[in-house]
Every structure is written in structure tokens, then in C-alpha cells.
Amino acid sequence: MKARLSTDGGARGNPGPAAYGYVLETEDGTVLAAKGETIGVATNNVAEYSALIAGLEKALELGVGEVEVVSDSELMVKQMRGEYRVKNEALRGLFLEASRLARQVGNVSYTAVRREHNKLADQLVNDALDAS
């Protein structure tokens, strides 16, 4: 099965209260899973990686073998593609965990989009932060 994983993370203040959101959907737009969750105090980048990890875990759980990750975090997308090195120590562990999960899923690609093309995942982040 092939799916699109839209991910987003955000922090109010950087670092500050943070949350992530993801939406996993089939090619025809059927939502397989969607989640928004707070993660305590963190940076935007930690929240972005947290969304990716949670979404890849869900894809694995549901038996999705091919995933197109869509994110408005250009840094995370370029790091996961191997275009940027992961210099930040806090992100290195998250990067390694996301890489491990991506290998388990099988075929994972990464696409950077503008924030307005990632509305549902962004909304889940804000809803989680508003509720906390």
C-alpha cells in the first residue's frame, strides 16, 4: 500500500510549548490516521521530527510499504534526503530514529511544501497546543 504522510511540528516560542501533527492518507485521499499531540517544551525542529517519527510508526503499524512524506520543514526534508548534515545534537537522535523507521517501512520519499499546502497537519499542531 502507498500513502502520503503530511507532517508538521511547531513551538510557541523556540523553544516553547510544542506539538506535532500528522495525517496519513491513501492516494485517493482516504485518511488512514491523523493525530496531533503536545510534546512539552521543545524547538520547532524537534517537533517536526517528532511528527515524522510518529507518522512513520503509524505507517509501519498499518502495513504501508511506500510513503511520500510531505512537510513544510525544508531543514528536515533536506536532512532526511541526505542533502544537509545533522549538526544539532538534539536532532541527531531523532534523525537516526526516523531513518531507522523509514528503512523498516521500505520506500520513503520526502517532499518540501509551503505551509499553506500542509493545512491539516498544521491545524492538528495548533489544536493540540490550544488544548494544552
Side-chain angles (χ1 to χ4, degrees):
M1 179 179 11
K2 183 176 182 179
R4 172 187 290 238
L5 175 61
S6 300
T7 67
D8 196 21
R12 293 190 175 155
N14 199 19
Y20 70 79
Y22 72 80
V23 181
L24 186 64
E25 57 192 331
T26 60
E27 290 178 283
D28 68 4
T30 302
V31 175
L32 300 171
K35 183 174 186 179
E37 188 169 299
T38 57
I39 57 169
V41 174
T43 65
N44 284 325
N45 290 330
V46 166
E48 295 281 3
Y49 268 101
S50 298
L52 175 61
I53 289 167
L56 288 173
E57 287 173 342
K58 181 54 83 172
L60 260 178
E61 181 187 311
L62 297 175
V64 177
E66 188 173 344
V67 175
E68 179 195 6
V69 175
V70 177
S71 171
D72 60 21
S73 171
E74 191 174 338
L75 175 74
M76 183 185 75
V77 166
K78 289 187 181 252
Q79 286 177 336
M80 292 305 296
R81 284 184 187 158
E83 295 171 26
Y84 287 175
R85 282 190 26 243
V86 183
K87 297 176 189 166
N88 182 299
E89 201 56 50
L91 294 183
R92 189 167 291 124
L94 296 169
F95 167 80
L96 291 172
E97 175 68 4
S99 298
R100 182 185 67 77
L101 289 164
R103 283 192 302 276
Q104 285 184 281
V105 167
N107 186 352
V108 180
S109 61
Y110 300 90
T111 304
V113 295
R114 293 167 58 131
R115 178 172 290 145
E116 56 266 28
H117 297 295
N118 203 19
K119 284 188 174 139
L120 186 51
D122 181 63
Q123 187 62 52
L124 291 168
V125 169
N126 285 300
D127 289 349
L129 286 169
D130 292 343
S132 65

